[in-house]
Every structure is written in C-alpha cells, then in structure tokens.
Amino acid sequence: MKSLRLLKRTLNKFNESSKSNIFLRNHSAWTQDGIIKTPYEDIKEIPNITLYDYVWQNLDKWPERTASICSVTGRGYTYEQAFKLSNAFAANLRKKLKIRDGDSIAVMLPNVPDFPLVAMGILEAGGIITTINPIYTAHEVQRQLLMSEAKVVITLPNIVGVIKEAFDIAKINLPIIAVKVNGETTPNGTIAFNELSEDVHVDKSCLKEVRRTVNDLCFLPYSSGTTGLPKGVELTNKNIISNCEQMNEPDIKCHSETTATHQDAVLAILPFFHIYSASVIMFHKMAQGIKLVTMPKLQPDEFMQALEKFKINVLFCAPPLIFLMASHPLASKEVYRYLEMVINGAAPISSSDADRFMDKVQRKIRFGQGYGLTETSPVVCMAPKDCEDYSVVGPALPSTQLKIVDSELKPLGPNQLGELLIRGPQVMKGYKDNPEANDATFADDWFRSGDVASSDAKGYIKIVDRIKELIKVKGFQVPPAELEAVLREHPSIKDAAVIGVPHPTKGETPKAFVVIDREAKVDVKEICDYVNKRVAPYKQVNDVVFLDSIPKTASGKILRKDLKA
C-alpha cells in the first residue's frame, strides 16, 4: 500500500509537470524553456545609421511643420529651422569648443523648445549627450560631471551659479553654454547658445571629420537612483534606433502619419533629461515629423489649459499626471476632447486609478500602459491598441524576449511571480566604468530588470513592484504598489506611498505616507481601518504619516529611500 501511494504521488507529480511542459510547448507565447516570445514579427533590419541621421532622414517631407514650441511663450522652431540651427551649433562645438568624437556634453535644461536643437547638435558634432536634472544641487551636479567626464555644460542662465559652484567642488573648469529663453543677458564667463546656433559664417566642413557608427555611444543618462547612487547607462545609436523601430509596430504605435493635412501634437511635459521622454517623445516623434509642445515645469492649471490650447492628441504620462487628470477641478470631457491616445509609463498604476481618469474622459480613447527602463532605451512592453485591461503593460516589443525567473534564475511559468529578464537590441551596452554593477545586472546575455512581474498565457506582462521594494512580512511578500492603490481609493487621499519598516516579530511591516485634501478631516485610525478591511491580515497597515507631498523622481517614481531616511 505504501509503495502504491508513493507511485501515485510520483505519477501525479509527473502528470502535473507534463501538463506544464505540454502547455509551454503548445502555446505560441511560451517556449519549452520558459522564454516568452513577442507576438510580432522581428524587425527585418535595423538601420545602419547614427541616431542623428535617423531623426532627420525624412526632413524633406515636413520642413515647414512645427518641430517644437513652448506651451507658455509660444516660441518655437520649424523642422527646417531646427535642422539648420543645430547644424551650425554642431560645427561651432567642434571649431570653437574643440569637441571630438566620443566626448560627453552635459545638458542641464528643463523642457524648452531649444532642447531638441541642443541634442541634435551634440550628436552631429560626434558627441555623447549626458543629461542632468535642472533642479539638482551643486553636489549632485559635480558628481555627474566627474562620472560622465563631460567636456562642456549647457544650461539656462539662472542655473549657471549652480554649475559654477559644482565646478568649485569638483575642482574643474569647463565651458558653459547658456540657452536664453526669455531675452536674458548672457552670464559672465558663458557663451550664448544662439550665438553658436545662429552663426551663418561658421565653417561646417569640420563636420565631415565626424566618424560615428551605429554601435557607438550617443546617450549617457543616469539611472534615477531610487535605491542607490545613479549609474551611467551607456546607450548606443543602435539601442535607441532599435527601440524607435520597435515602437513603429502597427499594433502598438502611438502616432499617426504626418501628412500635408495632419500633424500629431504631443505634450512634452515628461522631462527630456529622462530616457522616457528623450527617446519616446523627442527622438522617436521627431523622426515622425510630430509637433512637440514643450512645458518647462508642471503647473497643473497651465497643463490642463495646454491640452486644449494646442489640441494635444497624444499624451505620454507617469502616474502623478494620471492622478492629476483624474482629480483636477478643470478635468472634463471638454478639456480632454482632443485626446486620442494616453500611455502611462515610468511606474505602474492600478486599474482603479485608470478608471477614475477614464470616467473624466467620458468616451472611448486608447488608454494603456507601457513598460521599460533607462537600461532598455527604454521600452520593453506596450499594451496594444485593442487592449482594455489597464493592469497589464502588454506583450514584448518586436525582436524582444522575456523570462520570469525565481531567486535562483530558474524559469517560471504563466501567472507565477518572479523577476523579469529581458533580451533585445534595445538593451544597453552596460554601466559606465562599473564592472561590478554589470556583473550583477547581466545573467549570461539576459538583462535583469529588478522588477517583480508575472505573465499570462498570451505573454501579457503585469508589473508588480521593484524586488528591493517588496516588504517581507513573516515570509510573505507585500508589494507597496498594491497598498498604494488601495490608499488612493480613499476619497480624502490625493497621493500615497508605502515602505517596509523593521518589526520585532514580523521582520518588516508596511508603513504608509499619505497626502490628503486640504478640507478633509481624517485620522490615522480611519485610514488604517479603510485599508485593513480590503487586504489580507499580513498586508495590513497600522502606521500612517501625513505629508504635504510624496517625494518622487522627475519621471514619477516614488523615492522610497527618502521616505526611509
């Protein structure tokens, strides 16, 4: 009897294993070894050109179309103007500032219409763009200038003081180019951008000396540093061009063709210094002849007005913008009447948050989520046009493979939680001068995302949270994003964040930080009761702190390390 029971258990295990293997073999999204395939055809050929040439390759189709325009001042450039001015700027970078192939140039600018001109000029001069958040302190700036080995800094006149202070700390002295946006005077010791870009006499023959290939670096952003110090992410021309081509897949593309009678308008409110906006909005949309409406900083009323004034039909968001558009007093179907596509990225949002926004729109538009990282140029997944499940980020892009693995990097199957691994032409070359980080990040030829995810049978990915941000309660894993979504459903809570804090018996326990409406009268007990009725006992919250705002990166990710500090 004992041996029969043992045989039965063995057969049952075998049958379950066989069923799983048969499923993986027979289902088109999964291979037998647990690789999740894209449903799309691979890119036939990645253009063998630089990002500079890629962006301008169809310039003759839309020279008179608006390339970039400021939502506040109305100042802007046509595509032809942008090309000519960036061309002269590139020549002067080489002639007057002695920039050579592979030199890094730091750009510390908000979203102004000149940003694309600056970026394209750097690329044409053979340089590498490295971007710096314009609200950084001198200590943060000097660290990045040293790490990136920048040769020039480009900024606004009112930021020059911070740059010079950074020079003093780092004991360096670099040329500073000032971009004047409101007729300011040129600060002492700087060069005016317009003098370099409007120089009609500059000898452009020096640009023939530039020798950059598709495999050379072109962009060096620094990862957001939500869990540690930022790292320089080395992105090649091929990485970003591949991602642009991947985003052109008809089933997922977020733009319409620019024609004699139509030009999409994209509101560039997400910062260009971040890869999401730099690649998805600036480089990709310029290559499609689309109008970039730039907004230097988020001012809620002006943001809402710009949607109407500039007839914005394509909008790329991060969660804070979705929350704003769902709760702003001006939110209405009238304000949103031009919107056709709204894509959330940078961090996941819950279906309930998406529903609240869609309730304001009051009509069917394309709303979906995408997923990516600085290290993947950035897009990995995108919800297709017909996807109405707001909780997923869609399947893998063309030429992209994924895996969900356990802590020992062994492949998992459908609907199992694990770390997401990525392989594709958009994956970075590596972290600059950081072999230890590279060794920890790459497993064979797979990039380890550090994100907890699951995939359904069709290969549709759902992002749960960052591995390092999961809260471990008595051995159970609690994703902060899940509790944050519950908290935001409370009628008095405008925003929320959750972290894990040490606990004497549980190991860790969730702690909530909330921003409430000014008029609201709510206490800690009410909030805890609200959450705890909706979650399992091990996920319950018993500690709440009230804040004026939740600390976040420019791309909308919660800075949990600041909350823990």
Side-chain angles (χ1 to χ4, degrees), residues 6-277:
L6 181 61
L7 177 61
K8 193 172 183 181
R9 281 202 300 271
T10 304
L11 285 172
N12 283 340
K13 285 181 181 178
F14 175 80
N15 287 335
E16 288 303 311
S17 175
S18 297
K19 285 177 187 175
S20 176
N21 286 335
I22 289 168
F23 173 83
L24 291 176
R25 278 200 305 271
N26 292 343
H27 202 283
S28 60
W30 291 75
T31 66
Q32 191 168 357
D33 53 355
I35 294 176
I36 306 165
K37 299 182 295 181
T38 175
Y40 310 115
E41 288 187 16
D42 286 345
I43 300 170
K44 290 184 173 64
E45 185 179 356
I46 297 167
N48 188 28
I49 54 178
T50 64
L51 181 58
Y52 171 82
D53 289 327
Y54 181 83
V55 169
W56 294 127
Q57 63 184 334
N58 290 312
L59 175 65
D60 60 329
K61 293 182 179 179
W62 41 69
E64 300 304 317
R65 289 289 194 180
T66 300
S68 59
I69 184 170
C70 177
S71 66
V72 179
T73 65
R75 188 177 64 87
Y77 304 95
T78 66
Y79 272 89
E80 185 174 39
Q81 289 170 333
F83 174 77
K84 289 181 177 178
L85 292 169
S86 64
N87 190 246
F89 177 55
N92 272 318
L93 283 176
R94 289 190 76 94
K95 293 287 286 187
K96 294 182 178 177
L97 297 174
K98 307 304 179 186
I99 290 300
R100 293 297 175 260
D101 294 358
D103 285 348
S104 292
I105 298 179
V107 181
M108 189 173 175
L109 291 171
N111 283 16
V112 291
D114 317 80
F115 200 123
L117 282 64
V118 168
M120 298 309 295
I122 293 171
L123 294 179
E124 187 179 11
I128 298 169
I129 304 162
T130 188
T131 49
I132 302 178
N133 188 333
I135 66 168
Y136 268 7
T137 65
H139 284 273
E140 292 167 314
V141 172
Q142 64 89 21
R143 183 172 60 231
Q144 189 166 327
L145 291 178
L146 291 173
M147 288 192 298
S148 66
E149 301 174 278
K151 299 293 190 290
V152 175
V153 182
I154 303 171
T155 192
L156 294 183
N158 64 349
I159 304 177
V160 168
V162 176
I163 300 293
K164 290 185 175 180
E165 186 182 345
F167 288 174
D168 291 341
I169 297 170
K171 296 180 173 54
I172 57 175
N173 188 26
L174 306 175
I176 301 174
I177 298 172
V179 178
K180 300 186 290 183
V181 295
N182 291 310
E184 310 97 318
T185 56
T186 305
N188 289 334
T190 68
I191 308 164
F193 169 70
N194 65 295
E195 290 179 10
L196 301 176
S197 61
E198 296 171 11
D199 181 0
V200 295
H201 302 295
V202 64
D203 180 7
K204 296 177 185 175
S205 64
C206 61
L207 296 175
K208 295 177 183 178
E209 302 166 3
V210 176
R211 295 288 183 271
R212 301 298 279 168
T213 73
V214 71
N215 294 313
D216 287 324
L217 299 188
C218 67
F219 198 51
L220 184 66
Y222 276 73
S223 62
S224 55
T226 54
T227 56
L229 288 175
K231 299 182 286 288
V233 177
E234 296 180 316
L235 298 176
T236 66
N237 289 289
K238 184 177 182 178
N239 289 151
I240 297 180
I241 291 171
S242 297
N243 210 221
C244 289
E245 289 291 287
Q246 290 167 319
M247 286 187 275
N248 288 337
E249 159 60 40
D251 198 36
I252 58 175
K253 74 173 188 176
C254 301
H255 67 276
S256 301
E257 301 304 317
T258 300
T259 66
T261 57
H262 176 81
Q263 184 188 30
D264 281 344
V266 178
L267 186 59
I269 178 62
L270 298 176
F272 285 143
F273 63 78
H274 188 272
I275 186 63
Y276 180 7
S277 186

Side-chain angles (χ1 to χ4, degrees), residues 319-432:
L321 281 176
I322 301 293
F323 307 151
L324 170 65
M325 291 193 294
S327 61
H328 194 279
L330 293 177
S332 67
K333 64 179 182 180
E334 283 298 306
V335 171
Y336 301 143
R337 67 186 183 276
Y338 297 111
L339 287 177
E340 297 170 4
M341 305 174 217
V342 177
I343 305 296
N344 176 68
I349 61 167
S350 66
S351 293
S352 57
D353 288 326
D355 286 335
R356 278 196 288 273
F357 165 63
M358 292 300 288
D359 287 343
K360 298 290 186 179
V361 177
Q362 294 185 33
R363 62 188 171 86
K364 186 177 176 61
I365 65 169
R366 180 184 176 187
F367 181 90
Q369 297 208 64
Y371 166 75
L373 306 101
T374 305
E375 292 87 345
T376 57
S377 305
V379 189
V380 173
C381 300
M382 178 78 76
K385 294 175 181 178
D386 61 355
C387 180
E388 295 185 358
D389 181 354
Y390 301 149
S391 68
V392 300
V393 295
L397 263 58
S399 301
T400 304
Q401 295 179 324
L402 308 174
K403 268 201 289 192
I404 309 280
V405 299
D406 63 16
S407 58
E408 297 178 354
L409 301 183
K410 293 179 181 176
L412 299 173
N415 304 312
Q416 291 183 289
L417 282 179
E419 182 179 4
L420 182 67
L421 270 55
I422 303 158
R423 186 161 65 185
Q426 71 270 50
V427 175
M428 67 171 179
K429 180 179 180 181
Y431 294 116
K432 179 176 169 60

Side-chain angles (χ1 to χ4, degrees), residues 443-455:
D444 295 325
D445 56 346
W446 291 89
F447 170 74
R448 299 186 61 178
S449 71
D451 286 318
V452 180
S454 66
S455 172

Side-chain angles (χ1 to χ4, degrees), residues 310-328:
F310 292 94
K311 299 181 179 180
I312 301 299
N313 67 316
V314 180
L315 184 64
F316 292 92
C317 294
L321 281 176
I322 301 293
F323 307 151
L324 170 65
M325 291 193 294
S327 61
H328 194 279

